[in-house]
Amino acid sequence: MRVRAPGRVNLIGEHTDYNDGFVLPVAIDREIRLHAQPRADHRCLLYSETLDEQIEIDLTRLQESKGEPLSCTGWARYVAGVAVMLMRHTGRLLTGIEGVISSTLPTGSGLSSSAALEALFATLWNHLDQLQLDGWTLAQLCQQAEHEYAGVHCGIMDQAASLLAQRGSALFLDTRTLQTRHVPLPSDWLIVVADTGKPRALSGSEYNQRRAECQQAVEQLQAVLGQPIGALRDVSAEVASLYLPLLSEPSRRRARHVISENARVLAFLDALARADAHAVRHLMRASHASLRDDYEVSCAELDQMVAACLEAPGCVGVRLTGAGFGGACVALVERARLDPFLKEADAAYRAQSDYTPQFLVCESVEGASVMPQA
Ligand code: ADP
Ligand code: MG
């Protein structure tokens, strides 16, 4: 059997997911694939063409370990993590497999290849062992695998996008209620991931620091308001304009980013529904400025890439995407003007930066699936 799982890019709603806020990712046509056969026993023998590396996992031993993270390393952690979570949730021992993994999804460049790998194996075993788990349950088990087995305390966005997305749409996700909505994308716009070529630096420690600063902002707001608030998600624009000036820095600006970014996601949904290029451009530009000035997660290269794309023909909107400090921008581009857009954005960025950019032109695709027999 053959299974596929896509990567994702977030259109808007950055650094909102750990504040109970809104995000809007798109699953893209860069994906990981597995061609596998079931085995008669409970061993997994898997070869990744991407990494030229073979792994072996014994599901019986994993089950007996009662989910204690084993001494798995490298990509085996994601496969073992998903297997443990599925077995813990269903109480069943999964079928062994052997197979080969191939991929068109770059790893470690912010397109969430780790979530795609998790979604791939969750989809495989859900089908093979007829577990009958829905997409949300699979997404939460994959997130748990990433927490416990990869040690990355991510939100639910990446796994949800890789499992639940629909072709031609972005996935609006309320990270508090887990409510989702498929939001059609105008068919004459393409998604372009514009990688600055600058590796994401320092993002781990800065990421944890931003999370802590958001928590401090919540505590300070509670003190000035004299009442509890659950998260920055709960702060209205009116409350923000009255009370944020009373907060100390940098909490004030961090909170202002999160509160304004949530409002921008909701406005973006309206703009998409109207295919309002002017509003989309404005909202993405405001999102980038807020990430740069209030949240302070941009860098010279990301700013240069945004400027290069904005001036190129056919650019509807552009902003940094992902955690920041390097990595990529996401642009929406008029399909009919893709070629001049790529040519001019590439030239304008190279004229300013020592890094070599890379442009990935993407379509939005459906979430992970078992492929029909060839
Ligand atoms: P990102 O999720 O942003 O791509 P991560 O560091 O979270 O970056 O995950 C990358 C890891 O996922 C890789 O180091 C590898 O362990 C695993 N991985 C991704 N793609 C593959 C693949 N095709 N084959 C094997 N492992 C993969
Ligand atoms: Mg990852």
Side-chain angles (χ1 to χ4, degrees), residues 13 206 248 300 328 333:
E206 295 279 354
S248 64
V333 178

Side-chain angles (χ1 to χ4, degrees), residues 78 112-115 146 158:
Y78 303 99
S112 219
S113 66
S114 60
E146 179 116 8
D158 303 348

Side-chain angles (χ1 to χ4, degrees), residues 11 24-27 165-172 181-185 268-269 272 364:
L11 291 184
L24 191 67
V26 178
Q166 283 181 4
R167 171 173 287 277
S169 297
L171 181 74
F172 170 72
R181 199 163 106 207
H182 298 284
V183 185
L185 292 166
F268 198 87
L269 298 181
L272 272 187
S364 86

Side-chain angles (χ1 to χ4, degrees), residues 201-326:
L202 279 176
S203 55
S205 54
E206 295 279 354
Y207 179 84
N208 290 337
Q209 192 185 336
R210 292 298 179 280
R211 286 188 79 131
E213 287 162 354
C214 288
Q215 190 49 40
Q216 285 157 15
V218 168
E219 284 158 20
Q220 290 185 30
L221 270 170
Q222 290 182 149
V224 296
L225 284 170
Q227 65 185 62
I229 49 173
L232 289 176
R233 147 72 176 278
D234 300 304
V235 182
S236 67
E238 296 77 52
V239 169
S241 70
L242 283 174
Y243 293 96
L244 284 191
L246 305 177
L247 269 52
S248 64
E249 296 292 3
S251 294
R252 186 185 67 85
R253 278 176 299 133
R254 306 297 188 247
R256 188 166 65 177
H257 165 70
V258 173
I259 295 163
S260 63
E261 184 78 352
N262 277 328
R264 278 187 291 271
V265 178
L266 299 180
F268 198 87
L269 298 181
D270 286 342
L272 272 187
R274 288 180 278 122
D276 183 340
H278 182 77
V280 164
R281 186 180 184 85
H282 168 75
L283 289 164
M284 291 179 87
R285 193 200 281 257
S287 171
H288 185 81
S290 177
L291 287 159
R292 181 190 62 211
D293 302 333
D294 277 352
Y295 220 65
E296 296 181 283
V297 293
S298 191
C299 62
E301 291 74 16
L302 286 165
D303 295 344
Q304 287 159 356
M305 182 59 90
V306 163
C309 291
L310 271 177
E311 277 162 34
C315 180
V316 179
V318 60
R319 53 179 283 280
L320 77 82
T321 188
F325 305 105

